[in-house]
Amino acid sequence: MNVRTMNIDNQKEYWDKVGKQKTFTHPLNIELLSQFFDKDATFVDYGCGYGRIVEELIASGFSKVAGYDTSINLIQRGKERYLPIHHIADPSNLPLENNSVDCILLFAVLTCIPSDKGQATLVQLLHSKLKPGGILYISDYYLQNVEVSKSRYTFFENEPDNFGVFTLPEGATLRHHTREWIVSLFADFTVECENFITVKTMNGNTAEAFQLIVRK
Ligand SMILES: C[S@@+](CC[C@H](N)C(=O)[O-])C[C@H]1O[C@@H](n2cnc3c(N)ncnc32)[C@H](O)[C@@H]1O
């Protein structure tokens, strides 16, 4: 599968294939979010999958919430639950005005985009959609400190800075991140807080994740 077919790497054939079975699990810290936002703030969940976070935000009383994802099957799964989530054919074409969103969530999406270039393009896009002072809430993985993970990490297309890439037996190419890369990726933002949590991956393995809140 060519993961570089678009500027922002996309493996939608994979996500469409597994869309019916996978359960996504990174937890949303509503209590923390509520410290930043009133109930009328606008939220966008980028790479929303089947919309579980959109559903949770709505259940928590936030009303201006929308999700976007490139997998039509995942979107379809959430639409069956009448969630306000939308399919985008092109990951770099997010149909929102610039400077219009209070908060964008990016949960377990960077891990699906193996290249530095793809990730940088996406973060630039999301930056443009946030209002000045808007928040980006990221949940993702640094490099895991266990032998089984360490042994499978490679460089994306042999680029020396693009480390932490691995391919699952089921076909997707994923990525874990060096701290240096994450710091440089969000250099245009101010860090508000960072937490570390243990999560179950979509394949049922235990992993250490970071959650980062950064401000435009
Ligand atoms: C591990 S799932 C997480 C879904 C959701 N954020 C959650 O936590 O429930 C990753 C999601 O990112 C989406 N995705 C992957 N690459 C993407 C891209 N380049 N643009 C938009 N969505 C993407 C996939 O379709 C999938 O829904």
Side-chain angles (χ1 to χ4, degrees):
M1 183 187 306
N2 179 5
V3 295
R4 297 199 102 180
T5 49
M6 295 196 192
N7 213 1
I8 300 171
D9 315 353
N10 194 271
Q11 302 175 79
K12 62 181 152 193
E13 300 86 350
Y14 170 79
W15 293 106
D16 276 342
K17 194 172 72 183
V18 300
K20 291 269 188 289
Q21 316 118 31
K22 296 288 183 193
T23 300
F24 306 134
T25 58
H26 285 217
L28 179 66
N29 190 336
I30 286 281
E31 211 174 300
L32 183 62
L33 262 191
S34 302
Q35 292 172 17
F36 289 94
F37 297 108
D38 295 332
K39 295 294 186 204
D40 65 350
T42 49
F43 286 85
V44 165
D45 185 9
Y46 184 92
C48 65
Y50 51 85
R52 67 174 181 105
I53 293 174
V54 166
E55 190 165 20
E56 195 177 338
L57 284 166
I58 292 169
S60 301
F62 295 104
S63 56
K64 297 179 186 159
V65 185
Y68 296 88
D69 201 286
T70 47
S71 164
I72 197 147
N73 287 352
L74 278 163
I75 290 295
Q76 191 52 39
R77 187 170 151 193
K79 286 261 186 216
E80 284 162 15
R81 298 169 63 77
Y82 303 103
L83 296 174
I85 62 177
H86 311 281
H87 176 243
I88 47 171
D90 173 355
S92 56
N93 191 3
L94 190 56
L96 298 167
E97 297 289 321
N98 285 349
N99 302 306
S100 66
V101 182
D102 289 303
C103 181
I104 301 181
L105 299 122
L106 192 64
F107 270 46
V109 177
L110 289 178
T111 189
C112 309
I113 301 177
S115 79
D116 284 0
K117 192 173 163 213
Q119 292 195 358
T121 305
L122 174 59
V123 170
Q124 213 176 14
L125 171 74
L126 300 182
H127 187 278
S128 72
K129 302 300 178 188
L130 281 171
K131 289 179 184 171
I135 292 281
L136 182 56
Y137 180 1
I138 305 118
S139 188
D140 220 286
Y141 303 99
Y142 288 125
L143 298 180
Q144 302 292 295
N145 195 23
V146 286
E147 293 311 318
V148 61
S149 300
K150 283 184 189 168
S151 62
R152 64 182 179 174
Y153 291 142
T154 59
F155 293 88
F156 184 71
E157 296 187 345
N158 295 321
E159 287 172 23
D161 296 330
N162 205 145
F163 187 62
V165 173
F166 58 98
T167 299
L168 297 177
E170 63 202 64
T173 297
L174 302 180
R175 179 174 184 187
H176 293 167
H177 308 87
T178 65
R179 199 174 170 87
E180 294 71 30
W181 170 246
I182 293 298
V183 167
S184 81
L185 190 58
F186 297 107
D188 289 344
F189 294 81
T190 307
V191 175
E192 289 283 339
C193 67
E194 184 173 29
N195 294 315
F196 298 93
I197 53 170
T198 302
V199 295
K200 280 255 181 265
T201 69
M202 63 180 181
N203 287 336
N205 301 312
T206 299
E208 300 307 315
F210 67 87
Q211 294 204 325
L212 189 58
I213 292 195
V214 296
R215 190 185 289 281
K216 175 174 173 181

